[in-house]
Structures are given as C-alpha cells and as structure tokens.
Amino acid sequence: MKKNTILDIARLAGVSKSTVSRVINNESGVKEETKIKVLKVIKENNFSPSKSARELRGIKVKTYGILVTRLDSNSESQVVRGITKELYKNNCDYLILENQFSVEKTKHFVDTLVKRDVDGFIVFAIANEKYDFLRNTGKKVVLIGQDVEGFNCIVYDDYNAVKMVLEYLWKNGKKKIAYVGVNRSDPTTGEKRYKAYEDFVNLKKMKNISGFGNFEYYSGYEVAKDIIKHDIDAIVCGTDNLALGVKEYLRRKNIDNIVVTGIGNNSLLRFLDSNHISISFSYEKSGEKAVQTVTDMKTTKVNTYMYNAELILNNVLDKS
C-alpha cells in the first residue's frame, strides 16, 4: 500500500502543501476550521512522516545529540551502531556531530542542541576534559570512553585488554614483545594500555621496547620503522588502527616473522588478515547501554559501566 505524502494530505483536505506543513508544525496563520479539517485528514490516513506529525498524535518524540570525536573511528562507529539501533527501537530521533577532539566545537554543539531542546547527550569523551559545561544543561548525559566524576559513563577495561593479549603471546612462546601505543597524555587508550605493557615487561624481566603515535594508520606505520630495529618476535598495538599501519610497514619490508596484535576487533583487519589477533570490547552493546542509560529518566543515580576485554582469535598460534 502506497504511503501518503504531505501532497496527498493537502489534496484530500483541499488546502495547500504549506498549509498542511503549518498545521503539522503548529504554526500560526491557519484558520481554526481549516486546522481541524487538516488534522482530521491526517488522523484518518494515519499520516506520520516526521517527528512533528507523531507529536500531533500525542506521542512525544525524544531527540538525542550524539557527539563523536572522529567519524572515521572504527571503534566509535561500532558504538554508534549500537546507539542508533537502540534509539530507533525506542522511536527516538538523533543528531550526530563530529568534534575532531575539539572542546570548543563540543561546547558549540552543546549550546546549539540545547537551544533545539534535545532530550539528552551521548558524548564520546575527550581525554582529561571535565565537561563542566554539560553539568548545568538540565539534560541527561552519558560519557563514553572516560570516567568523569558526576556523569554516567561507559568505560572499557583498557589495562586488562593489553594484559590479556600479552599473556596469550607469552604462553605461545613470544618472549621479545614490543609495544606501539597512543600518546600517553591520553589517560585510557594511551596511559592505561601502556601501563599494562610496562608492568608485564617488568614482571617478566623483558626489555621495554615501545613507541607512541596517534590514532591514525600512518602513525603506526611510522612508529614501526624504529620498533623493528630491535630484536623482537611480536608487537602489541594499542589500537587496531596502529596495528594496520604496523602490518603494512612489515608487509612492504617483507618481514613475516613478527606477530602483530591490536585492540578494537576491526572488521577491515579481519578481512585483510584472517590471522589477526585482536581484543573486542563489545562496542555495539556498550552503545545500546548508553541509550538505555540516557533514556532512563526514572533515576538520577550516577553509574560507571565497565566493558571487559575479550580476546579474538582466528587460526593463529594456539593450535591446541
């Protein structure tokens, strides 16, 4: 059955398209009898093309702002997939904005969305930011990726993610393990993941061979140039993006005797390398939890939800 359009409603009500639009948006300038006639046609035809139309039928449509740091981030994309799926399931609308790690852009987006009267925010947190400007918005907020006092937060077990993959490599005979990570100024992806490596090499009395870059593929490629100058048999990367860059450098240099692992369970890496070892944090499920938290208006209690690491293996190393 063909779905009615706003033009169909206008034709059935004997008015213009702009008149139907003004009625839907509850704007002035429409006679009361005309408004009643248009609303009657809308109801009879179950017409609901937009948020405004649904609200005319007494259904309050909630809208949420999703503020991401990078639209090209594989991990954030997985979380956003969970967020949008859950919002859709709950008949909620959303706006996705990219701040590119800029606090100023984030403040601007928050001001804009508050003026548009969104119902809440899901924010991919920037390292070391306290988000004081979000505290007095009157909106419910969930932060993802950082544990910030006073907010509901979704966080990931960064330390144990690296520890888990290091123990796996050690168990399978890799004793000369290097680390390629994100700059340590980032307290989670950077510092916590590196600290797990540092503690492990100290415990095992291994040589600390580490290098740091940013979140980009090319950064992993550049750091790999110095890392492979050392005698190593494995490289643990703080993210799958870094692992992709490291793997590409090794491929170009025809080096095939070094195992490279990552964190993020990147589908592109799984496609390119069926033997890739990675860590999953159930990103999509954490996105669903973020929505469940931000839409739960029954409680004002602040919680931090931790998502544990899961080692993802294919056909590699452990044949037992």
Side-chain angles (χ1 to χ4, degrees):
M1 181 178 177
K2 179 178 175 292
K3 183 178 179 180
N4 285 318
T5 67
I6 193 170
L7 287 172
D8 295 322
I9 298 302
R11 178 178 54 79
L12 291 169
V15 298
S16 68
K17 175 183 173 182
S18 60
T19 297
V20 176
S21 179
R22 286 199 296 273
V23 171
I24 287 174
N25 291 295
N26 201 26
E27 296 174 1
S28 59
V30 181
K31 293 181 180 179
E32 188 61 26
E33 58 266 32
T34 302
K35 183 177 179 179
I36 292 171
K37 181 169 62 173
V38 171
L39 289 174
K40 182 172 182 291
V41 171
I42 287 173
K43 183 177 180 180
E44 288 174 348
N45 290 273
N46 196 32
F47 179 64
S48 56
S50 66
K51 173 180 176 178
S52 298
R54 282 179 277 167
E55 289 182 346
L56 283 173
R57 301 205 311 275
I59 302 172
K60 175 68 172 72
V61 179
K62 294 182 181 296
T63 302
Y64 293 90
I66 305 169
L67 306 185
V68 303
T69 60
R70 293 167 51 227
L71 286 170
D72 62 348
S73 166
N74 177 70
S75 59
E76 290 193 23
S77 295
Q78 291 181 62
V79 180
V80 168
R81 189 179 303 121
I83 291 170
T84 55
K85 183 172 73 173
E86 191 72 9
L87 287 173
Y88 181 78
K89 188 170 79 175
N90 286 278
N91 296 312
C92 297
D93 288 340
Y94 56 86
L95 296 163
I96 300 176
L97 298 166
E98 179 190 40
N99 60 35
Q100 298 174 329
F101 295 98
S102 166
V103 176
E104 289 308 310
K105 283 184 179 180
T106 305
K107 289 178 180 178
H108 171 71
F109 293 151
V110 167
D111 288 343
T112 300
L113 294 177
V114 167
K115 289 174 184 175
R116 295 188 64 167
D117 197 27
V118 296
D119 294 275
F121 293 95
I122 298 174
V123 180
F124 289 79
I126 298 170
N128 302 310
E129 175 57 42
K130 299 303 181 185
Y131 288 96
D132 291 333
F133 58 91
L134 275 170
R135 297 180 191 276
N136 299 315
T137 60
K139 310 296 182 181
K140 198 153 186 183
V141 177
V142 174
L143 298 178
I144 295 178
Q146 306 280 343
D147 193 359
V148 181
E149 185 177 355
F151 289 99
N152 285 295
C153 299
I154 303 289
V155 298
Y156 306 101
D157 193 356
D158 296 286
Y159 185 94
N160 280 315
V162 173
K163 181 181 177 183
M164 182 181 294
V165 76
L166 284 165
E167 288 176 343
Y168 172 79
L169 291 170
W170 183 269
K171 176 187 131 181
N172 284 279
K174 305 303 177 184
K175 309 298 182 184
K176 295 174 285 188
I177 308 171
Y179 181 79
V180 174
V182 173
N183 192 290
R184 294 173 64 186
S185 61
D186 183 298
T188 53
T189 308
E191 177 60 23
K192 284 186 179 179
R193 294 184 187 182
Y194 169 71
K195 188 65 170 61
Y197 172 76
E198 183 180 55
D199 289 349
F200 188 85
V201 297
N202 288 340
L203 177 67
K204 300 296 186 181
K205 303 189 184 313
M206 294 163 47
K207 184 179 179 181
N208 187 324
I209 304 166
S210 51
F212 302 91
N214 56 38
F215 290 91
E216 303 295 333
Y217 306 126
Y218 299 106
S219 184
Y221 185 95
E222 291 300 318
V223 175
K225 294 178 181 178
D226 289 325
I227 291 293
I228 65 158
K229 293 175 183 177
H230 299 270
D231 180 22
I232 56 175
D233 53 18
I235 303 173
V236 171
C237 296
T239 71
D240 268 355
N241 266 15
L242 289 171
L244 187 56
V246 169
K247 282 174 179 274
E248 178 59 15
Y249 183 80
L250 297 181
R251 186 191 68 81
R252 293 189 185 186
K253 296 297 180 180
N254 296 311
I255 299 171
D256 58 7
N257 61 341
I258 297 175
V259 175
V260 179
T261 75
I263 295 175
N265 196 24
N266 186 306
S267 58
L268 175 61
L269 258 177
R270 291 201 312 273
F271 174 74
L272 295 174
D273 182 358
S274 61
N275 288 333
H276 181 56
I277 303 168
S278 189
I279 292 286
S280 170
F281 280 122
S282 300
Y283 285 125
E284 189 167 328
K285 288 183 180 178
S286 73
E288 294 172 11
K289 183 63 178 180
V291 173
Q292 293 160 11
T293 303
V294 80
T295 57
D296 181 8
M297 303 308 292
K298 296 177 183 178
T299 177
T300 57
K301 185 178 179 182
V302 172
N303 292 294
T304 296
Y305 303 96
M306 172 75 79
Y307 280 78
N308 296 324
E310 177 189 359
L311 190 63
I312 304 298
L313 305 172
N314 294 300
N315 305 314
V316 294
L317 297 186
D318 190 355
K319 304 298 184 181
S320 58

